[in-house]
Amino acid sequence: MSGLQVFLEYTLAGIATGGVYTLVGLGFVLVFKASGVFNFAMGDMMMAGAYTFYLCAVVFDLHWAVALLIAVVFSCALAWLIERTVLRRMMGQPVIAVVMATFGIGFVLRGIAAIAFGSEAYQLPALLPRAPFFIGDIMLPGKSVRGFVLTTGLCGAIILFLRYSRAGIALRATAADQITAYAMGINVRRVFALTWMAAAAIGTVAGVIAASVTSLTPDLGTIGLNVLGVVILGGLNSVGGVIVAGLFIGWLEAMTAAYLPGDIREITPYIAVLAMLMIRPYGLFGTRPVERI
Amino acid sequence: MVPATLVLTGVDIRYQASVDAVRDLSLTVPRGGIVALLGANGAGKSSTLNAISGFLPLLRGRMMAGRISFEGEDTAGLAPHALVRRGVLHVREGRHVFADMTVEENLVAGTFALTGRRAVHRRGFDEVYGYFPILAQRRKGQAGYLSGGEQQMLAIGRALVAEPRLMLLDEPSLGLAPRVVAEIFAIIARINREKGTSILLVEQNAVMALGCAQYAYVLENGRVAAEGSGASLAADASIRELYLGVGADGAARSFRDAP
Ligand SMILES: Nc1ncnc2c1ncn2[C@@H]1O[C@H](COP(=O)(O)OP(=O)(O)O)[C@@H](O)[C@H]1O
Ligand SMILES: [Mg+2]
């Protein structure tokens, strides 16, 4: 196996993992941008979506596309409920209280999953065909290539939506200046709820991809910790930043896995984040002070 | 009788952990009229507008007493965006254009005010571009790169998109060159004349404001220190000192001591 092939294969696998980080990171960033809330339940919302998919696709044996649709709708409803019952009541409380509440929501979701499904690891059906992919005579794993295409497509769709849709303008207006958004007749509270729902939908897709690459356990959401590094690196309020940072961290993890011994591997991405923050305290593309979390 | 567009009666405003910003304020904006609200920095002008548009809770402020009615209806209990959708458009002090958006995207943001109003469909922004031709030229440009005057035009244009019945303009002249101020005031007067939009105009630049307002109130330390027709206040030399804050230690004295 040639050195080039190793490099390409790990790069692709890394970018595929990074794509999942990016998606989950986008969920964080959308909510943070709109409402300034740092949602620590993001990883667990992703996990909840993945279990819903498992229920529909495996237990009820539905077509994967139908199962994904149901999972997305369910997690949107869940996010709406969370926003309505917990977060709306906490308006005007200190930011730290709201952040702790999202921690609590995450614990509850994980607890429910553990009670309902146990700690056993489930296998999800392969979302994407596994047939290998060829660039010239270099063979690449099909799962990575297609995962990459899927996440890139989704990220692109999100960017286009924020850029060109009317709802995207409402979200950017709310993110930029809440009072002026109200002055435009924008229902800011509804924008908050919609960002939670969008985050849940994106998280569900990311969760299904992540779980189908590895396996599904109630701890799937701990990927949210890696994503924490990603969003801090990219800048908490920067959509472009989180995409670059997500792909970069995923790639860096794969590179260290390919070329470095085990114990350095684990911490390399965090060293990268730390080094970056010393140079640019608001992250690569962020503009808002990080201490707002 | 047709109710006045806006009536405030006995309004008190207070911010969290702070003294009263406005005390016992009553004012009326007749249908189709321009009313000026004058006063020095800190007199309570912006607070009054924020009370009308329902922004006070967002600024940790509260209306402690009094009543505000728009077209005969009490506005208490209406969410800020709901009031906007009924036609109360607040052009905030400092313009607050969305700097990262294009001029046109800023105008699109203004269309959210039309939500639920049947009569108006998407007609494009020709009317806004008619009043402010420079915005048409800058349509695709980022709003943050506009000059101060152009940003003020965008802020007013964005409100115009919403088919306002009442416009609350907070210091449209702030930081602008006299030539630009004159241009903007001419357009404000035109909008009022051609579209019948009622206007409550907050200004520190009293000369300009009194030039186009039929009636004016002068606020000092949160209280109405003087009121009268635009012409009569403009003729009163002592008023100029009052709005400039020269007599900040008391309205009566500043009136008496005025040359
Ligand atoms: N958000 C706020 N929190 C606390 N005090 C405020 C706030 N906004 C204004 N004030 C106070 O209320 C008073 C009136 O301010 P304002 O309405 O902004 O006056 P003006 O617009 O006439 O300059 C001032 O004493 C000001 O310091
Ligand atoms: Mg003011």
Side-chain angles (χ1 to χ4, degrees), chain A residues 51-209:
Chain A
Y51 270 105
T52 315
F53 175 80
Y54 171 81
L55 260 186
C56 297
V58 178
V59 179
F60 299 123
D61 200 24
L62 298 172
H63 186 270
W64 69 265
V66 179
L68 188 60
L69 189 70
I70 294 175
V72 165
V73 170
F74 171 80
S75 53
C76 282
L78 184 67
W80 179 82
L81 198 70
I82 291 172
E83 207 279 336
R84 259 297 149 104
T85 53
V86 184
L87 294 153
R88 193 159 295 201
R89 267 165 226 274
M90 300 195 68
M91 267 301 268
Q93 307 266 7
V95 175
I96 187 70
V98 182
V99 170
M100 292 317 284
T102 69
F103 255 120
I105 292 162
F107 273 120
V108 170
L109 290 178
R110 220 172 310 159
I112 291 173
I115 292 166
F117 298 94
S119 54
E120 183 185 340
Y122 293 100
Q123 292 304 314
L124 290 192
L127 261 192
L128 308 159
R130 283 170 202 274
F133 216 84
F134 291 93
I135 300 176
D137 49 5
I138 296 174
M139 190 187 86
L140 297 167
K143 214 163 55 173
S144 302
V145 176
R146 293 184 176 85
F148 170 72
V149 171
L150 193 71
T151 46
T152 330
L154 202 54
C155 289
I158 292 165
I159 289 178
L160 290 179
F161 176 79
L162 288 176
R163 183 95 239 141
Y164 296 111
S165 76
R166 201 159 168 272
I169 286 177
L171 191 141
R172 282 152 63 201
T174 303
D177 181 344
Q178 246 176 59
I179 294 181
T180 306
Y182 269 120
M184 300 293 102
I186 292 169
N187 187 343
V188 170
R189 303 283 356 192
R190 179 178 294 167
V191 171
F192 289 175
L194 287 177
T195 56
W196 275 83
M197 290 164 71
I202 298 166
T204 297
V205 175
V208 170
I209 294 173

Side-chain angles (χ1 to χ4, degrees), chain A residues 43-44 47 51 110 113-114 118-119 215-224:
Chain A
D44 300 298
M47 178 271 303
Y51 270 105
R110 220 172 310 159
S119 54
S215 65
L216 179 57
T217 69
D219 287 330
L220 184 68
T222 49
I223 206 176

Side-chain angles (χ1 to χ4, degrees), chain B residues 41 45-46 93 170-171:
Chain B
N41 209 359
K45 308 180 297 296
S46 297
E93 178 180 338
D170 199 342
E171 303 208 30

Side-chain angles (χ1 to χ4, degrees), chain B:
Chain B
M1 202 188 87
V2 192
T5 298
L6 181 73
V7 181
L8 273 65
T9 25
V11 170
D12 288 358
I13 299 168
R14 180 182 296 174
Y15 291 98
Q16 205 176 56
S18 132
V19 286
D20 298 345
V22 171
R23 286 285 271 170
D24 195 25
L25 172 65
S26 297
L27 66 75
T28 301
V29 179
R31 178 163 301 229
I34 301 184
V35 171
L37 183 59
L38 310 175
N41 209 359
K45 308 180 297 296
S46 297
S47 301
T48 303
L49 294 194
N50 287 326
I52 297 166
S53 50
F55 294 159
L56 277 182
L58 302 166
L59 297 162
R60 294 169 186 275
R62 245 185 94 190
M63 220 172 99
M64 308 301 290
R67 182 171 189 269
I68 299 178
S69 72
F70 170 65
E71 297 188 333
E73 206 186 321
D74 197 323
T75 62
L78 278 182
H81 66 272
L83 201 55
V84 174
R85 291 174 184 186
R86 289 180 186 216
V88 180
L89 270 292
H90 184 162
V91 180
R92 299 177 64 206
E93 178 180 338
R95 310 188 257 275
H96 293 272
V97 299
F98 298 117
D100 293 338
M101 296 189 200
T102 66
V103 166
E104 192 142 288
E105 285 171 342
N106 269 271
L107 297 180
V108 172
T111 64
F112 280 89
L114 298 172
T115 314
R117 271 192 264 169
R118 276 164 301 142
V120 201
H121 290 298
R122 295 213 43 161
R123 293 177 311 162
F125 303 123
D126 292 348
E127 186 183 67
V128 176
Y129 293 145
Y131 281 111
F132 304 107
I134 185 75
L135 295 182
Q137 287 173 39
R138 299 286 164 84
R139 233 173 51 224
K140 300 286 174 202
Q142 216 169 303
Y145 294 135
L146 298 177
S147 71
E150 290 162 356
Q151 289 193 6
Q152 188 62 61
M153 293 177 187
L154 179 56
I156 295 172
R158 201 167 56 172
L160 214 50
V161 168
E163 297 280 317
R165 304 169 70 76
L166 169 67
M167 273 213 261
L168 312 169
L169 301 176
D170 199 342
E171 303 208 30
S173 75
L174 192 72
L176 302 181
R179 189 185 50 78
V180 182
V181 173
E183 192 182 336
I184 286 175
F185 270 74
I187 294 171
I188 291 171
R190 248 183 78 202
I191 291 170
N192 168 257
R193 200 170 57 239
E194 294 172 5
K195 298 177 61 68
T197 311
S198 312
I199 291 174
L200 178 57
L201 173 63
V202 158
E203 264 301 340
Q204 287 195 60
N205 186 339
V207 179
M208 285 310 296
L210 291 176
C212 69
Q214 290 103 33
Y215 200 84
Y217 298 81
V218 180
L219 274 186
E220 195 175 75
N221 297 328
R223 293 173 184 273
V224 175
E227 63 178 283
S229 73
S232 73
L233 288 181
D236 190 334
S238 62
I239 296 299
R240 297 174 181 233
E241 293 211 32
L242 188 62
Y243 74 73
L244 284 172
V246 174
D249 51 337
R253 191 161 157 245
S254 61
F255 273 119
R256 197 167 46 240
D257 293 349

